[in-house]
């Protein structure tokens, strides 16, 4: 069984122009980091011309389907019938994208099949993490 889930999604960038351009993005989940999800935007879709990856909690993504969630760099909220808004805040500015809620739900269902919600702690490699922390302490 694979330990990684990657799902391409179609995101719509909210901009000042009336037409919102579609941009490709990928949702990523790795069982080795069971509390986190990543959303990656490819270089052609970014102002910097490099891949941009945002990491945030799976719990935030799930909760944001139902109600506005997040106070930091990543915020998620429902929008209309089948859209979810993800806001990414950085010193350079804020990017706001719409994603179909159904795509996010399918992604979360797949992550839940890989690591059930509430059992994430069973997939943490605490010995490895502790060894990494202690490696340079002597």
């Amino acid at each position: 069984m694979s330990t990684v889930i990657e799902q391409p999604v179609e995101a719509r960038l909210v901009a000042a122009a009336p037409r919102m351009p579609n941009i490709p993005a990928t949702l990523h989940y790795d069982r080795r980091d069971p509390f986190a999800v990543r959303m990656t935007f490819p270089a052609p879709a970014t102002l910097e011309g490099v891949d941009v990856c945002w990491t945030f909690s799976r719990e935030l993504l799930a909760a944001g389907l139902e109600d506005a969630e997040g106070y930091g760099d990543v915020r998620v909220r429902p929008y209309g019938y089948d859209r979810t808004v993800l806001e990414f805040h950085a010193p350079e500015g804020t990017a706001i994208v719409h994603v179909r809620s159904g795509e996010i739900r399918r992604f979360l269902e797949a992550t839940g099949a890989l690591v059930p919600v509430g059992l994430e702690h069973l997939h943490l490699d605490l010995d490895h993490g502790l060894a990494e922390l202690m490696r340079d302490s002597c």
Side-chain angles (χ1 to χ4, degrees):
M1 175 192 254
S2 175
T3 64
V4 175
I5 295 169
E6 286 190 344
Q7 178 179 316
V9 295
E10 182 180 290
R12 288 189 169 211
L13 180 63
V14 177
R19 185 178 177 280
M20 294 189 299
N22 291 335
I23 56 174
T26 302
L27 288 169
H28 179 96
Y29 182 80
D30 188 332
R31 173 167 67 186
R32 293 171 295 183
D33 190 5
F35 292 101
V37 297
R38 292 192 328 250
M39 189 167 197
T40 304
F41 299 92
T46 69
L47 294 175
E48 298 82 16
V50 296
D51 287 0
V52 173
C53 181
W54 288 84
T55 303
F56 49 98
S57 77
R58 175 170 70 163
E59 181 181 25
L60 173 67
L61 186 59
L65 287 169
E66 305 303 324
D67 202 5
E69 295 290 335
Y71 298 101
D73 295 341
V74 180
R75 301 170 192 175
V76 184
R77 70 178 185 276
Y79 181 81
Y81 173 68
D82 189 39
R83 295 273 182 207
T84 299
V85 174
L86 292 98
E87 295 181 17
F88 302 99
H89 297 261
E92 301 80 16
T94 300
I96 301 173
V97 297
H98 290 187
V99 177
R100 286 188 183 96
S101 301
E103 290 184 301
I104 294 173
R105 282 189 183 91
R106 277 192 299 284
F107 173 75
L108 290 171
E109 286 171 10
T111 69
L114 188 60
V115 177
V117 173
L119 298 180
E120 294 92 348
H121 65 284
L122 298 177
H123 296 273
L124 292 175
D125 187 353
L126 296 178
D127 290 334
H128 175 73
L130 185 57
E132 286 293 310
L133 286 172
M134 301 298 291
R135 180 182 57 186
D136 297 323
S137 67
C138 296

mmCIF file of all heavy atoms in Angstrom, residues 14 39 41 54 56 60 68-70 72-77 84-90 93-98:
data_model
loop_
_atom_site.group_PDB
_atom_site.id
_atom_site.type_symbol
_atom_site.label_atom_id
_atom_site.label_comp_id
_atom_site.label_asym_id
_atom_site.label_seq_id
_atom_site.Cartn_x
_atom_site.Cartn_y
_atom_site.Cartn_z
ATOM 1 N N VAL A 14 -8.290 34.107 -7.583
ATOM 2 C CA VAL A 14 -9.121 35.294 -7.447
ATOM 3 C C VAL A 14 -8.210 36.495 -7.644
ATOM 4 O O VAL A 14 -7.236 36.672 -6.913
ATOM 5 C CB VAL A 14 -9.810 35.347 -6.066
ATOM 6 C CG1 VAL A 14 -10.618 36.619 -5.920
ATOM 7 C CG2 VAL A 14 -10.689 34.124 -5.866
ATOM 8 N N MET A 39 -0.223 21.775 -0.456
ATOM 9 C CA MET A 39 -0.806 22.199 -1.723
ATOM 10 C C MET A 39 0.310 22.865 -2.505
ATOM 11 O O MET A 39 0.925 23.824 -2.028
ATOM 12 C CB MET A 39 -1.977 23.145 -1.519
ATOM 13 C CG MET A 39 -2.734 23.429 -2.787
ATOM 14 S SD MET A 39 -4.321 24.241 -2.411
ATOM 15 C CE MET A 39 -5.169 23.978 -3.954
ATOM 16 N N PHE A 41 1.747 24.590 -6.090
ATOM 17 C CA PHE A 41 1.439 25.290 -7.330
ATOM 18 C C PHE A 41 2.697 25.259 -8.191
ATOM 19 O O PHE A 41 3.780 25.596 -7.714
ATOM 20 C CB PHE A 41 1.030 26.742 -7.046
ATOM 21 C CG PHE A 41 -0.192 26.842 -6.187
ATOM 22 C CD1 PHE A 41 -0.090 26.936 -4.809
ATOM 23 C CD2 PHE A 41 -1.452 26.815 -6.759
ATOM 24 C CE1 PHE A 41 -1.222 27.012 -4.014
ATOM 25 C CE2 PHE A 41 -2.592 26.897 -5.971
ATOM 26 C CZ PHE A 41 -2.479 26.993 -4.598
ATOM 27 N N TRP A 54 2.622 25.018 0.017
ATOM 28 C CA TRP A 54 2.110 25.440 1.317
ATOM 29 C C TRP A 54 1.769 24.181 2.108
ATOM 30 O O TRP A 54 1.120 23.279 1.590
ATOM 31 C CB TRP A 54 0.859 26.292 1.154
ATOM 32 C CG TRP A 54 1.146 27.645 0.610
ATOM 33 C CD1 TRP A 54 1.289 27.992 -0.707
ATOM 34 C CD2 TRP A 54 1.324 28.838 1.360
ATOM 35 N NE1 TRP A 54 1.543 29.332 -0.805
ATOM 36 C CE2 TRP A 54 1.567 29.869 0.447
ATOM 37 C CE3 TRP A 54 1.309 29.131 2.722
ATOM 38 C CZ2 TRP A 54 1.796 31.192 0.848
ATOM 39 C CZ3 TRP A 54 1.524 30.432 3.126
ATOM 40 C CH2 TRP A 54 1.771 31.448 2.189
ATOM 41 N N PHE A 56 -0.070 22.754 5.609
ATOM 42 C CA PHE A 56 -1.015 23.116 6.663
ATOM 43 C C PHE A 56 -1.695 21.846 7.148
ATOM 44 O O PHE A 56 -1.486 20.768 6.591
ATOM 45 C CB PHE A 56 -2.024 24.162 6.180
ATOM 46 C CG PHE A 56 -2.675 23.844 4.857
ATOM 47 C CD1 PHE A 56 -3.921 23.264 4.801
ATOM 48 C CD2 PHE A 56 -2.027 24.142 3.660
ATOM 49 C CE1 PHE A 56 -4.522 22.968 3.585
ATOM 50 C CE2 PHE A 56 -2.622 23.858 2.439
ATOM 51 C CZ PHE A 56 -3.872 23.276 2.403
ATOM 52 N N LEU A 60 -7.428 21.513 9.436
ATOM 53 C CA LEU A 60 -7.818 22.833 8.939
ATOM 54 C C LEU A 60 -8.564 22.710 7.619
ATOM 55 O O LEU A 60 -9.604 23.338 7.416
ATOM 56 C CB LEU A 60 -6.589 23.730 8.775
ATOM 57 C CG LEU A 60 -6.823 25.081 8.098
ATOM 58 C CD1 LEU A 60 -7.689 25.985 8.966
ATOM 59 C CD2 LEU A 60 -5.489 25.751 7.789
ATOM 60 N N ALA A 68 -15.545 29.027 8.273
ATOM 61 C CA ALA A 68 -14.274 29.742 8.135
ATOM 62 C C ALA A 68 -13.317 29.283 9.235
ATOM 63 O O ALA A 68 -13.668 29.282 10.414
ATOM 64 C CB ALA A 68 -14.508 31.242 8.217
ATOM 65 N N GLU A 69 -12.101 28.893 8.835
ATOM 66 C CA GLU A 69 -11.101 28.381 9.770
ATOM 67 C C GLU A 69 -9.744 28.969 9.440
ATOM 68 O O GLU A 69 -9.447 29.256 8.282
ATOM 69 C CB GLU A 69 -11.015 26.850 9.691
ATOM 70 C CG GLU A 69 -12.260 26.129 10.140
ATOM 71 C CD GLU A 69 -12.519 26.217 11.629
ATOM 72 O OE1 GLU A 69 -11.561 26.418 12.409
ATOM 73 O OE2 GLU A 69 -13.681 26.080 12.025
ATOM 74 N N GLY A 70 -8.926 29.122 10.457
ATOM 75 C CA GLY A 70 -7.548 29.561 10.283
ATOM 76 C C GLY A 70 -7.371 31.017 10.637
ATOM 77 O O GLY A 70 -8.213 31.855 10.345
ATOM 78 N N GLY A 72 -3.797 32.132 10.676
ATOM 79 C CA GLY A 72 -2.406 32.372 10.323
ATOM 80 C C GLY A 72 -2.210 32.557 8.840
ATOM 81 O O GLY A 72 -2.986 33.232 8.158
ATOM 82 N N ASP A 73 -1.174 31.914 8.331
ATOM 83 C CA ASP A 73 -0.799 32.055 6.936
ATOM 84 C C ASP A 73 -1.773 31.376 5.982
ATOM 85 O O ASP A 73 -1.840 31.737 4.802
ATOM 86 C CB ASP A 73 0.596 31.467 6.704
ATOM 87 C CG ASP A 73 1.675 32.232 7.441
ATOM 88 O OD1 ASP A 73 1.424 33.393 7.824
ATOM 89 O OD2 ASP A 73 2.766 31.675 7.639
ATOM 90 N N VAL A 74 -2.495 30.368 6.461
ATOM 91 C CA VAL A 74 -3.452 29.654 5.615
ATOM 92 C C VAL A 74 -4.819 29.724 6.259
ATOM 93 O O VAL A 74 -4.982 29.418 7.443
ATOM 94 C CB VAL A 74 -3.033 28.173 5.415
ATOM 95 C CG1 VAL A 74 -4.042 27.445 4.545
ATOM 96 C CG2 VAL A 74 -1.635 28.085 4.815
ATOM 97 N N ARG A 75 -5.799 30.124 5.459
ATOM 98 C CA ARG A 75 -7.184 30.210 5.924
ATOM 99 C C ARG A 75 -8.076 29.518 4.906
ATOM 100 O O ARG A 75 -7.837 29.604 3.702
ATOM 101 C CB ARG A 75 -7.600 31.666 6.100
ATOM 102 C CG ARG A 75 -6.691 32.379 7.100
ATOM 103 C CD ARG A 75 -6.897 33.845 7.138
ATOM 104 N NE ARG A 75 -5.813 34.467 7.897
ATOM 105 C CZ ARG A 75 -5.661 35.749 8.032
ATOM 106 N NH1 ARG A 75 -6.525 36.582 7.464
ATOM 107 N NH2 ARG A 75 -4.652 36.224 8.714
ATOM 108 N N VAL A 76 -9.111 28.840 5.407
ATOM 109 C CA VAL A 76 -9.992 28.052 4.541
ATOM 110 C C VAL A 76 -11.428 28.342 4.930
ATOM 111 O O VAL A 76 -11.751 28.420 6.111
ATOM 112 C CB VAL A 76 -9.699 26.534 4.688
ATOM 113 C CG1 VAL A 76 -10.535 25.722 3.724
ATOM 114 C CG2 VAL A 76 -8.208 26.235 4.500
ATOM 115 N N ARG A 77 -12.289 28.489 3.907
ATOM 116 C CA ARG A 77 -13.709 28.727 4.192
ATOM 117 C C ARG A 77 -14.562 28.258 3.020
ATOM 118 O O ARG A 77 -14.120 28.237 1.875
ATOM 119 C CB ARG A 77 -13.959 30.194 4.493
ATOM 120 C CG ARG A 77 -13.814 31.110 3.304
ATOM 121 C CD ARG A 77 -14.139 32.572 3.673
ATOM 122 N NE ARG A 77 -14.108 33.423 2.513
ATOM 123 C CZ ARG A 77 -13.023 33.970 1.992
ATOM 124 N NH1 ARG A 77 -11.850 33.733 2.532
ATOM 125 N NH2 ARG A 77 -13.098 34.741 0.928
ATOM 126 N N THR A 84 -14.654 25.980 -2.235
ATOM 127 C CA THR A 84 -13.951 26.266 -0.998
ATOM 128 C C THR A 84 -12.864 27.276 -1.326
ATOM 129 O O THR A 84 -12.181 27.151 -2.333
ATOM 130 C CB THR A 84 -13.333 24.984 -0.402
ATOM 131 O OG1 THR A 84 -14.398 24.064 -0.117
ATOM 132 C CG2 THR A 84 -12.579 25.264 0.880
ATOM 133 N N VAL A 85 -12.727 28.267 -0.481
ATOM 134 C CA VAL A 85 -11.712 29.300 -0.656
ATOM 135 C C VAL A 85 -10.523 28.970 0.233
ATOM 136 O O VAL A 85 -10.687 28.688 1.424
ATOM 137 C CB VAL A 85 -12.271 30.693 -0.282
ATOM 138 C CG1 VAL A 85 -11.173 31.750 -0.329
ATOM 139 C CG2 VAL A 85 -13.422 31.076 -1.191
ATOM 140 N N LEU A 86 -9.344 29.004 -0.354
ATOM 141 C CA LEU A 86 -8.105 28.876 0.398
ATOM 142 C C LEU A 86 -7.337 30.174 0.227
ATOM 143 O O LEU A 86 -7.134 30.625 -0.903
ATOM 144 C CB LEU A 86 -7.265 27.703 -0.099
ATOM 145 C CG LEU A 86 -7.869 26.326 0.184
ATOM 146 C CD1 LEU A 86 -8.587 25.802 -1.030
ATOM 147 C CD2 LEU A 86 -6.797 25.367 0.619
ATOM 148 N N GLU A 87 -6.951 30.776 1.344
ATOM 149 C CA GLU A 87 -6.166 32.010 1.332
ATOM 150 C C GLU A 87 -4.770 31.686 1.836
ATOM 151 O O GLU A 87 -4.612 31.062 2.887
ATOM 152 C CB GLU A 87 -6.772 33.060 2.257
ATOM 153 C CG GLU A 87 -8.122 33.556 1.860
ATOM 154 C CD GLU A 87 -8.643 34.620 2.828
ATOM 155 O OE1 GLU A 87 -7.836 35.199 3.598
ATOM 156 O OE2 GLU A 87 -9.854 34.846 2.826
ATOM 157 N N PHE A 88 -3.774 32.139 1.087
ATOM 158 C CA PHE A 88 -2.377 31.929 1.459
ATOM 159 C C PHE A 88 -1.744 33.301 1.671
ATOM 160 O O PHE A 88 -1.618 34.080 0.733
ATOM 161 C CB PHE A 88 -1.654 31.145 0.367
ATOM 162 C CG PHE A 88 -2.286 29.806 0.090
ATOM 163 C CD1 PHE A 88 -3.152 29.636 -0.975
ATOM 164 C CD2 PHE A 88 -2.038 28.720 0.917
ATOM 165 C CE1 PHE A 88 -3.748 28.404 -1.228
ATOM 166 C CE2 PHE A 88 -2.631 27.485 0.678
ATOM 167 C CZ PHE A 88 -3.488 27.334 -0.404
ATOM 168 N N HIS A 89 -1.364 33.586 2.920
ATOM 169 C CA HIS A 89 -0.819 34.893 3.295
ATOM 170 C C HIS A 89 0.702 34.798 3.450
ATOM 171 O O HIS A 89 1.195 33.955 4.194
ATOM 172 C CB HIS A 89 -1.446 35.373 4.609
ATOM 173 C CG HIS A 89 -2.924 35.584 4.500
ATOM 174 N ND1 HIS A 89 -3.469 36.820 4.301
ATOM 175 C CD2 HIS A 89 -3.972 34.715 4.542
ATOM 176 C CE1 HIS A 89 -4.787 36.716 4.227
ATOM 177 N NE2 HIS A 89 -5.117 35.440 4.375
ATOM 178 N N ALA A 90 1.407 35.671 2.748
ATOM 179 C CA ALA A 90 2.864 35.727 2.811
ATOM 180 C C ALA A 90 3.282 37.191 2.854
ATOM 181 O O ALA A 90 2.472 38.075 2.533
ATOM 182 C CB ALA A 90 3.472 35.031 1.594
ATOM 183 N N GLY A 93 2.438 39.118 -0.233
ATOM 184 C CA GLY A 93 1.039 39.364 -0.547
ATOM 185 C C GLY A 93 0.177 38.159 -0.220
ATOM 186 O O GLY A 93 0.630 37.198 0.394
ATOM 187 N N THR A 94 -1.061 38.220 -0.668
ATOM 188 C CA THR A 94 -2.034 37.165 -0.393
ATOM 189 C C THR A 94 -2.529 36.572 -1.705
ATOM 190 O O THR A 94 -2.871 37.309 -2.628
ATOM 191 C CB THR A 94 -3.236 37.719 0.394
ATOM 192 O OG1 THR A 94 -2.747 38.265 1.630
ATOM 193 C CG2 THR A 94 -4.265 36.649 0.687
ATOM 194 N N ALA A 95 -2.550 35.252 -1.769
ATOM 195 C CA ALA A 95 -3.142 34.554 -2.911
ATOM 196 C C ALA A 95 -4.433 33.913 -2.428
ATOM 197 O O ALA A 95 -4.474 33.277 -1.371
ATOM 198 C CB ALA A 95 -2.193 33.501 -3.459
ATOM 199 N N ILE A 96 -5.490 34.095 -3.185
ATOM 200 C CA ILE A 96 -6.795 33.511 -2.856
ATOM 201 C C ILE A 96 -7.211 32.628 -4.022
ATOM 202 O O ILE A 96 -7.239 33.082 -5.168
ATOM 203 C CB ILE A 96 -7.846 34.602 -2.599
ATOM 204 C CG1 ILE A 96 -7.395 35.513 -1.450
ATOM 205 C CG2 ILE A 96 -9.210 33.983 -2.297
ATOM 206 C CD1 ILE A 96 -8.276 36.722 -1.238
ATOM 207 N N VAL A 97 -7.501 31.367 -3.720
ATOM 208 C CA VAL A 97 -7.931 30.435 -4.764
ATOM 209 C C VAL A 97 -9.231 29.758 -4.360
ATOM 210 O O VAL A 97 -9.508 29.569 -3.175
ATOM 211 C CB VAL A 97 -6.846 29.375 -5.079
ATOM 212 C CG1 VAL A 97 -5.591 30.017 -5.631
ATOM 213 C CG2 VAL A 97 -6.522 28.523 -3.868
ATOM 214 N N HIS A 98 -10.022 29.442 -5.369
ATOM 215 C CA HIS A 98 -11.235 28.643 -5.191
ATOM 216 C C HIS A 98 -10.949 27.243 -5.706
ATOM 217 O O HIS A 98 -10.357 27.093 -6.777
ATOM 218 C CB HIS A 98 -12.393 29.205 -6.014
ATOM 219 C CG HIS A 98 -12.931 30.501 -5.518
ATOM 220 N ND1 HIS A 98 -14.061 31.068 -6.053
ATOM 221 C CD2 HIS A 98 -12.529 31.344 -4.552
ATOM 222 C CE1 HIS A 98 -14.318 32.204 -5.442
ATOM 223 N NE2 HIS A 98 -13.401 32.399 -4.524
#
